Amino acid sequence: MGCFCLKKVRNKSGYKDPTILASETPFTVNEVKALYDLFKRVSSSIIDDGLIHKEEFQHAVFRNSSKQNLFADRVFDLFDVKHNGVIEFGEFVRSLSVFHPNAPIADKIAFLFRLYDLRQTGYIEGEELKEMLLALLGESELVLSNDMVEMIVEKAMVEADSNGDGKIDEEEWREFVKNNPSVLKNMTLPYLKDLTSLAFPSFVLNNEAEIVGNK
């Protein structure tokens, strides 16, 4: 017999019917079911309560639950839509859907804007770009000098901050991404169209410098 075990999981904390989630995202019902298998593995890795805690999330992304990372924290915060310190299944599927190849480009651009808007002010400032870039570099094998990091950030700010007020608003960000489509490279995970053997997204560790417009 198939073992998605709907009857057993209906009462799980944060569980959401796959038919509903499929209607709200680019995923099919079968893909949502496959995502539930992934969700179960991640959510039971430390605390088996049907919810993904920050330590479990960080371990799934970076294979290291003891090391703090700003990038992992920020992605977790965006997935944790209810801001209650855990990720429920519905939040997991809806948030992950932005990385689906069929997700609207506008949604991908908006997600990245919120990712870099660390202070949640509605703007991205140079210091925020620098903090995120350093966090990404800290988890990769790519080594850049301080001067190179400053140059990447300055180049991105000069190009994106069209009105010269020292920060990037959402309209400026959309225009910047339009002119630098490589920024969105890590916002699409092709294997989300084929969820037969799924591991947790590894988008975090790919081409870190490119994400802020280093062409």
Side-chain angles (χ1 to χ4, degrees):
M1 291 178 62
C3 200
F4 182 58
C5 307
L6 287 176
K7 292 182 180 178
K8 292 183 179 180
V9 300
R10 273 183 183 142
N11 295 324
K12 280 279 190 180
S13 179
Y15 175 74
K16 191 80 173 180
D17 186 275
T19 304
I20 295 174
L21 289 172
S23 71
E24 298 172 345
T25 68
F27 296 115
T28 65
V29 172
N30 285 336
E31 288 171 339
V32 173
K33 291 178 180 180
L35 284 175
Y36 185 70
D37 288 336
L38 171 61
F39 180 84
K40 283 191 298 183
R41 292 201 303 272
V42 176
S43 64
S44 63
S45 60
I46 298 177
I47 304 172
D48 189 6
D49 60 355
L51 301 166
I52 296 179
H53 295 256
K54 183 170 287 189
E55 295 82 4
E56 293 171 322
F57 185 85
Q58 188 148 343
H59 179 72
V61 175
F62 294 117
R63 310 300 178 202
N64 186 346
S65 59
S66 63
K67 185 176 179 182
Q68 289 256 295
N69 181 278
L70 174 64
F71 189 87
D73 286 347
R74 191 73 193 108
V75 175
F76 180 89
D77 290 343
L78 293 180
F79 274 52
D80 177 20
V81 178
K82 293 182 179 179
H83 306 296
N84 57 358
V86 292
I87 299 173
E88 300 176 357
F89 180 54
E91 293 174 317
F92 179 74
V93 174
R94 292 189 187 94
S95 297
L96 195 56
S97 71
V98 75
F99 297 95
H100 194 284
N102 295 339
I105 295 298
D107 291 351
K108 298 176 184 290
I109 294 173
F111 184 93
L112 268 183
F113 183 86
R114 290 186 292 129
L115 183 68
Y116 282 102
D117 180 15
L118 298 177
R119 323 285 191 252
Q120 300 177 51
T121 60
Y123 299 95
I124 300 173
E125 299 185 21
E127 189 60 30
E128 291 173 314
L129 280 181
K130 182 178 179 180
E131 287 180 41
M132 287 294 291
L133 179 56
L134 290 174
L136 285 163
L137 292 173
E139 291 294 340
S140 75
E141 297 179 358
L142 183 61
V143 178
L144 296 179
S145 66
N146 289 335
D147 287 345
M148 180 62 72
V149 170
E150 292 286 356
M151 185 179 73
I152 291 171
V153 173
E154 182 178 354
K155 178 179 180 294
M157 289 300 297
V158 167
E159 184 174 352
D161 179 22
S162 58
N163 65 10
D165 65 354
K167 53 192 177 184
I168 305 169
D169 60 32
E170 292 188 65
E171 184 177 345
E172 290 173 326
W173 179 252
R174 285 192 292 270
E175 188 64 23
F176 174 70
V177 173
K178 177 182 176 182
N179 295 330
N180 297 271
S182 63
V183 170
L184 290 179
K185 180 178 180 179
N186 294 330
M187 286 301 299
T188 296
L189 302 176
Y191 64 73
L192 287 181
K193 293 185 76 173
D194 179 15
L195 296 175
T196 52
S197 59
L198 188 63
F200 199 86
S202 57
F203 61 91
V204 243
L205 301 180
N206 298 326
N207 301 309
E208 291 84 0
E210 186 176 57
I211 203 168
V212 289
N214 182 37
K215 297 191 293 184

